[in-house]
Amino acid sequence: MRLIFEIIFLSDYNIGTGYSEGILDTPLVKDQNGIPYIPATTLSGVLRKGICDLLEFDYLSHHRKCKRSNSDGSSYCRNTKEMCPVCRILGSPASKKEWIFSSALAVNPENRLKPIISWKNKININTGTAEEHKLFNKELYGKRMRFRFNIQKERNDPHSIEEASFIIAAMRWIKNIGSNIRRGDGKCEIHLISHEPICFIDSDNHESLNSEQCFLNVFKRSWIDNVPIKDFEDITKPYLDNDNIETNGPSVKKICYLIFLTIEPFLVCNTNERGNTYESLSYIPGQTLLGALAWKTARQLDWTNEEMDQKFLNLFIKNGIKLTPLFPAKKLDKDIYPSIPIPYDFASCKLFPLTENNDHDWKFLTGEENEHNTCQVCKTKNRISPLKYVNGFISLYIQEKEAQYNRFFVKVNKNKSTHIAINLPKGITEHGSLFHYITVNPNQYFIGKIEINDWKFFSEVLKINEDKPLIELNIGKSTAKGYGLGKLFFYFPNEDQKVKGLFIGKSFESRVDHENLKKPIIMTLITDTILLDNWGRYYQRFDGRVLKKIFQIEPNIDVKIIKQFVRTRRIDGFNSLLGLPKWRERVFCAGSSVSFQFKIDDDEDLKRELIKKLKKLEKEGIGLRREEGFGEISFNHAVRTDKALSMRIRLPEPMRLKRLKKSIISRTEKRWIEYLNCKINDFADKKWLALISWLESQDLKIEQMLNLIEKFHTNDEKVKDIINNLKIDEKTNYFLKNKNLESFQGVFKKLITISKNIPEEVKDYWRMESLKLFGEKIASNLKVEDND
Ligand SMILES: [Zn+2]
Ligand SMILES: [Zn+2]
């Protein structure tokens, strides 16, 4: 069982690590990206305090059993059959701790950009005077910070539900975290925002869940009224009656497609990668998108307004939004076509896989009767090339007359760039810290679907104009470095598109044979899917019983598996934007495919019911976390068999790329790269990179940069500061005075000449891009040196 909590700070807070770092006396705990978090050990201490505080109440006095629970008895509960809540939940020398805490990660880490630093004199108690040079500062974080963490346990039994209810009640009781509580810092509220698996509370009605209310009812019954939990049924009842989420005025539900156009490169990683290379995914996962939307919405909100706060919670925390991942779209002229991950049973010629103008062999292995497993085209040329699975995306566009491979597949262009880690406050480069990003290039389209329960609130907060429903959005990592910016368009599909389905492209009726339900059917997972059995364990393969359970079909229908091409993987560690704690989940990967047959009697009613059920499954998805885009499926997907398919979406005017500017930039970029490649072989020193990074962080025009660099030999105060910050060795000082500086200036002079034709509206973009390229060139010089 997993309980997911959110901490909302109502005043500034400060959680120190207890050690001193430089001039900061009580630094906040931060991760390697400088984002604050609250360590698991702190949270465990917070819970202990909450439990003890609750036990002070008379109505819980019968649960005090040892010294830890405020009783006079032994130091801990030795009788494991009858333990106090402290020993039971947090463990004791007699019983193992079963509840595991995660650290709490920031949901809205942008607040970290505004730490409040307060300086104080340290008072010498003996003399009553401020000691000189004993100023210390304290980094405080603002009151809107929100963090999420989870507490989990392997089991889901009634016993654990009881414990969970105590944990939740104790957390609700907590009013402060951190030091300086007396001065009013660290005021907070902790709420349960969801729990998993959801099934033990209510398996039919996911939308209306308010987990916290439900658990607090359980708490009252089992800890105060001492009514033991008999079965799960009982728990659902008090909750369902209670669910009245307050709403002012009617909320309008809207379903639309999301078209995302990348303006800057993006870097979206699924896992917490180690090492120094980060490669972006080729699509945007649902949880990343949801996080980005929540972040943007949170920044627009007035948090002092409680109604707004509630609406935000309803929308983002209580599943008021359901969305899919955004998969890359195929662009043809003014239209785009959605794509899906290539199904795992798709195999193509290994020697000549999906490249432009390729007419080599391919096929879907599921449903294939007469199996050949080598490329028939290669065979005619006396080569043997096996058919192998290929990674990628297949578009919902097939044309009968030119059914060539390059029509089918969507290529996502990526670029590698090199960065150097800069310690920003000090402005110096960190030792040995070159790292690489493999990012998705600008000017690519992605498309997915979103359902918004309260469109009115959503569109008002994000200022979405109905005539031009377009916003700018930052996606993925390193948005502070300028990555991840794109345009997001809310596209309202027409009836025809709705019937076809964004990621399917053909109506259900035209794919599944209503007359002959005994024909094999192929289910393809369009997105990653999380399927749990009754005991909370992950399914890893399909069998007839599993499918029957997932489909929830009548006992008198059986399912027989014919073939399956299935992959599973662990997902752990989520995007820090969403602030979800790191837990592990095993998912069926998107692209997994299974073919099966129904064994069904010739009963028309039964068949009609089954058809209805399948259609509903396709519409609503299967498994857990569907609101984040998991569990999208299709039966007999059109890409498998159809000879003609066109899920065409006309690009709205503001989403079209302007050809002219693009070509000017690419021409200029080409000249710049040529220049850098043949002229720049010096500057093999990390300090130059540091200088460029510093320039990147300044809001200066290229001319102003040159101006600044030209002043480097003077005694200008600002320049002196920079030089000091860059830790340039005064003795050698070659960095500033010799030819190197002159050629550095020369590079900027050249850049000014080259940039002459860049139009005004893309100048900012070009300024960053040109510096980035310059930096990369220097980094490539460095690497050669490092290898020596
Ligand atoms: Zn105890
Ligand atoms: Zn071939």
Side-chain angles (χ1 to χ4, degrees):
M1 184 187 317
R2 174 188 302 146
L3 309 170
I4 300 158
F5 290 93
E6 185 164 284
I7 304 174
I8 304 170
F9 279 95
L10 307 172
S11 67
D12 299 333
Y13 82 96
N14 171 42
I15 294 164
T17 45
Y19 59 84
S20 182
E21 180 194 61
I23 54 164
L24 282 177
D25 196 57
T26 48
L28 273 158
V29 190
K30 288 183 228 169
D31 68 8
Q32 70 271 28
N33 299 318
I35 297 176
Y37 70 98
I38 304 171
T41 48
T42 304
L43 296 171
S44 159
V46 163
L47 177 61
R48 179 181 297 262
K49 184 171 183 304
I51 295 175
C52 290
D53 285 356
L54 277 185
L55 286 170
E56 292 282 308
F57 288 102
D58 287 344
Y59 55 79
L60 287 170
S61 59
H62 55 290
H63 295 296
R64 298 176 203 150
K65 284 175 182 145
C66 68
K67 285 216 170 93
R68 308 164 99 198
S69 47
N70 313 339
S71 142
D72 297 332
S74 58
S75 56
Y76 59 89
C77 296
R78 288 167 206 272
N79 177 2
T80 51
K81 295 245 161 59
E82 228 184 276
M83 285 190 289
C84 71
V86 182
C87 294
R88 199 170 142 185
I89 293 165
L90 294 167
S92 74
S95 72
K96 207 171 136 250
K97 179 178 172 182
E98 287 188 70
W99 290 94
I100 311 291
F101 288 68
S102 74
S103 300
L105 305 184
V107 179
N108 49 350
E110 77 278 9
N111 277 29
R112 89 198 135 99
L113 299 176
K114 306 158 220 152
I116 304 151
I117 298 188
S118 58
W119 291 86
K120 291 184 192 68
N121 283 322
K122 189 169 181 179
I123 308 291
N124 182 321
I125 298 168
N126 294 328
T127 62
T129 55
E131 284 180 60
E132 226 185 334
H133 306 303
K134 287 281 170 64
L135 287 169
F136 65 99
N137 73 10
K138 191 162 69 94
E139 220 175 338
L140 280 172
Y141 278 82
K143 56 175 159 186
R144 288 169 192 176
M145 282 303 276
R146 304 154 85 93
F147 292 85
R148 278 195 205 170
F149 64 98
N150 70 57
I151 306 180
Q152 58 180 329
K153 185 182 180 178
E154 289 293 329
R155 281 185 287 188
N156 298 322
D157 53 357
H159 202 64
S160 308
I161 293 173
E162 275 176 15
E163 289 166 16
S165 75
F166 208 110
I167 295 175
I168 289 148
M171 284 300 193
R172 282 296 285 120
W173 189 247
I174 295 293
K175 303 281 183 284
N176 305 282
I177 292 184
S179 56
N180 290 313
I181 287 171
R182 271 185 223 147
R183 291 186 35 254
D185 288 348
K187 267 197 198 124
C188 66
E189 274 181 16
I190 306 179
H191 287 276
L192 179 76
I193 52 170
S194 68
H195 68 280
E196 289 171 17
I198 238 146
C199 49
F200 69 77
I201 286 187
D202 174 23
S203 52
D204 299 323
N205 203 344
H206 286 241
E207 272 84 6
S208 56
L209 277 186
N210 176 345
S211 315
E212 189 174 271
Q213 265 307 316
C214 169
F215 274 108
L216 291 177
N217 286 332
V218 175
F219 174 73
K220 184 174 176 296
R221 287 169 29 141
S222 51
W223 294 92
I224 300 177
D225 305 339
N226 295 310
V227 181
I229 298 179
K230 284 201 199 75
D231 55 26
F232 298 164
E233 264 307 297
D234 274 336
I235 307 171
T236 68
K237 282 170 190 150
Y239 160 64
L240 282 175
D241 297 338
N242 264 0
D243 182 52
N244 286 314
I245 298 167
E246 49 173 279
T247 43
N248 285 354
S251 52
V252 191
K253 178 169 176 167
K254 289 216 176 182
I255 297 176
C256 48
Y257 296 165
L258 293 174
I259 306 173
F260 187 75
L261 170 63
T262 56
I263 298 174
E264 301 286 348
F266 78 66
L267 181 67
V268 170
C269 303
N270 221 350
T271 52
N272 257 14
E273 286 175 54
R274 284 166 205 281
N276 59 353
T277 301
Y278 296 86
E279 177 162 7
S280 180
L281 296 173
S282 303
Y283 69 99
I284 303 165
Q287 64 268 37
T288 304
L289 185 65
L290 189 62
L293 285 171
W295 186 349
K296 189 167 174 92
T297 309
R299 267 188 292 193
Q300 315 284 337
L301 272 191
D302 169 13
W303 288 101
T304 55
N305 181 333
E306 269 185 34
E307 186 195 327
M308 289 289 225
D309 203 6
Q310 193 57 45
K311 284 189 169 182
F312 179 85
L313 285 175
N314 289 343
L315 199 58
F316 287 102
I317 314 287
K318 295 178 183 163
N319 303 347
I321 287 182
K322 179 174 190 277
L323 41 64
T324 67
L326 305 187
F327 290 132
K330 173 107 194 141
K331 181 173 176 289
L332 287 172
D333 198 25
K334 286 175 184 163
D335 301 317
I336 54 170
Y337 298 83
S339 76
I340 60 168
I342 296 178
Y344 285 133
D345 61 322
F346 177 88
S348 92
C349 173
K350 191 187 176 196
L351 287 174
F352 301 93
L354 320 164
T355 49
E356 295 288 308
N357 306 315
N358 187 335
D359 54 357
H360 278 251
D361 209 357
W362 62 273
K363 66 181 181 181
F364 285 96
L365 300 173
T366 308
E368 192 79 17
E369 296 295 322
N370 140 40
E371 287 185 21
H372 57 268
N373 45 21
T374 57
C375 173
Q376 300 300 294
V377 178
C378 283
K379 203 172 165 190
T380 61
K381 290 168 186 154
N382 289 326
R383 276 192 304 251
I384 296 173
S385 170
L387 295 179
K388 278 264 150 87
Y389 169 70
V390 257
N391 212 346
F393 293 87
I394 185 163
S395 76
L396 273 57
Y397 177 67
I398 303 171
Q399 256 199 341
E400 196 165 12
K401 54 177 182 180
E402 296 174 73
Q404 286 195 346
Y405 296 101
N406 58 341
R407 289 262 186 252
F408 286 100
F409 299 98
V410 186
K411 214 175 137 206
V412 177
N413 295 311
K414 293 188 187 174
N415 223 333
K416 185 168 173 176
S417 61
T418 302
H419 291 257
I420 188 159
I422 304 277
N423 183 333
L424 270 179
K426 295 182 190 143
I428 57 167
T429 63
E430 274 166 18
H431 182 68
S433 48
L434 275 184
F435 55 98
H436 310 287
Y437 283 174
I438 300 169
T439 51
V440 169
N441 286 355
N443 299 327
Q444 298 191 56
Y445 292 95
F446 295 82
I447 189 162
K449 199 171 67 181
I450 191 168
E451 273 178 54
I452 300 162
N453 279 348
D454 192 346
W455 170 260
K456 205 167 148 268
F457 169 70
F458 182 82
S459 60
E460 269 169 24
V461 175
L462 288 177
K463 300 178 185 73
I464 299 169
N465 177 346
E466 299 262 346
D467 300 325
K468 191 186 163 192
L470 174 73
I471 57 170
E472 285 201 337
L473 193 69
N474 284 298
I475 290 281
K477 272 179 179 275
S478 284
T479 48
K481 286 202 184 85
Y483 281 111
L485 181 68
K487 287 201 260 186
L488 185 70
F489 193 93
F490 297 81
Y491 177 98
F492 294 95
N494 59 35
E495 281 312 310
D496 178 50
Q497 286 166 331
K498 278 186 203 165
V499 170
K500 287 171 160 183
L502 176 66
F503 290 133
I504 298 177
K506 281 259 157 123
S507 73
F508 179 82
E509 286 72 19
S510 66
R511 286 174 285 117
V512 178
D513 190 345
H514 285 50
E515 299 307 315
N516 188 359
L517 268 176
K518 288 175 186 167
K519 258 195 195 167
I521 293 178
I522 303 168
M523 176 171 81
T524 310
L525 303 185
I526 295 172
T527 64
D528 291 346
T529 300
I530 309 168
L531 296 173
L532 294 181
D533 68 12
N534 288 341
W535 308 101
R537 291 171 304 203
Y538 298 106
Y539 285 125
Q540 309 215 17
R541 277 185 79 71
F542 293 110
D543 61 36
R545 201 176 39 84
V546 173
L547 280 190
K548 219 177 135 167
K549 179 170 179 292
I550 298 166
F551 295 166
Q552 295 172 7
I553 48 179
E554 312 297 325
N556 48 351
I557 307 174
D558 264 326
V559 186
K560 190 183 135 218
I561 303 274
I562 303 168
K563 271 184 205 168
Q564 57 182 312
F565 292 81
V566 164
R567 286 181 196 194
T568 66
R569 70 183 159 92
R570 281 194 177 282
I571 48 173
D572 54 359
F574 285 85
N575 193 298
S576 64
L577 284 185
L578 190 57
L580 277 174
K582 287 162 195 130
W583 63 72
R584 304 194 121 193
E585 202 121 62
R586 185 165 278 281
V587 300
F588 282 96
C589 300
S592 294
S593 305
V594 52
S595 61
F596 58 88
Q597 247 171 324
F598 287 115
K599 283 190 205 153
I600 180 171
D601 294 337
D602 279 326
D603 175 339
E604 287 309 314
D605 282 347
L606 205 60
K607 284 183 184 170
R608 214 170 308 121
E609 274 307 302
L610 183 59
I611 286 286
K612 233 170 93 185
K613 202 152 257 174
L614 294 179
K615 200 172 170 180
K616 188 165 172 256
L617 285 167
E618 213 176 54
K619 198 167 162 246
E620 295 176 357
I622 58 173
L624 296 182
R625 293 171 65 186
R626 281 176 291 183
E627 64 286 351
E628 292 168 65
F630 289 92
E632 294 262 324
I633 60 165
S634 71
F635 296 109
N636 296 342
H637 200 289
V639 294
R640 294 178 169 276
T641 45
D642 279 56
K643 293 279 179 337
L645 174 66
S646 170
M647 186 61 199
R648 187 171 70 91
I649 292 157
R650 173 54 54 103
L651 277 173
E653 186 61 42
M655 293 298 278
R656 294 184 195 165
L657 288 168
K658 305 223 171 16
R659 207 162 283 207
L660 176 74
K661 280 174 201 154
K662 200 185 153 200
S663 72
I664 291 176
I665 289 186
S666 63
R667 233 182 302 136
T668 313
E669 191 176 85
K670 208 172 146 210
R671 276 183 69 194
W672 180 233
I673 291 171
E674 273 167 17
Y675 168 79
L676 290 174
N677 277 344
C678 63
K679 299 283 182 198
I680 309 297
N681 293 307
D682 301 327
F683 311 115
D685 188 313
K686 282 183 185 173
K687 282 165 190 151
W688 291 110
L689 264 186
L691 185 56
I692 289 170
S693 289
W694 181 83
L695 286 169
E696 274 180 311
S697 70
Q698 304 298 302
D699 195 17
L700 297 173
K701 294 196 163 62
I702 298 169
E703 290 80 0
Q704 291 171 314
M705 291 180 198
L706 177 63
N707 237 319
L708 194 72
I709 302 161
E710 282 177 335
K711 280 195 212 149
F712 263 39
H713 59 282
T714 68
N715 282 330
D716 186 289
E717 281 302 316
K718 194 174 177 194
V719 172
K720 261 185 165 170
D721 265 4
I722 303 164
I723 292 166
N724 287 337
N725 281 336
L726 293 175
K727 291 267 158 76
I728 291 154
D729 190 338
E730 281 298 334
K731 275 183 211 156
T732 45
N733 218 355
Y734 71 96
F735 190 62
L736 301 172
K737 285 181 180 152
N738 70 3
K739 282 184 297 185
N740 263 331
L741 182 63
E742 258 170 55
S743 35
F744 198 73
Q745 293 163 358
V747 177
F748 280 83
K749 282 178 188 154
K750 183 71 187 178
L751 180 56
I752 291 170
T753 330
I754 287 180
S755 313
K756 260 201 321 248
N757 293 326
I758 294 283
E760 195 58 45
E761 58 270 40
V762 285
K763 269 204 166 131
D764 278 344
Y765 166 77
W766 170 242
R767 177 170 52 87
M768 297 304 286
E769 192 62 20
S770 58
L771 283 183
K772 202 186 92 198
L773 288 166
F774 189 17
E776 275 166 26
K777 178 62 189 162
I778 294 180
S780 71
N781 293 345
L782 273 183
K783 265 198 317 195
V784 176
E785 199 196 37
D786 285 349
N787 289 344
D788 281 346

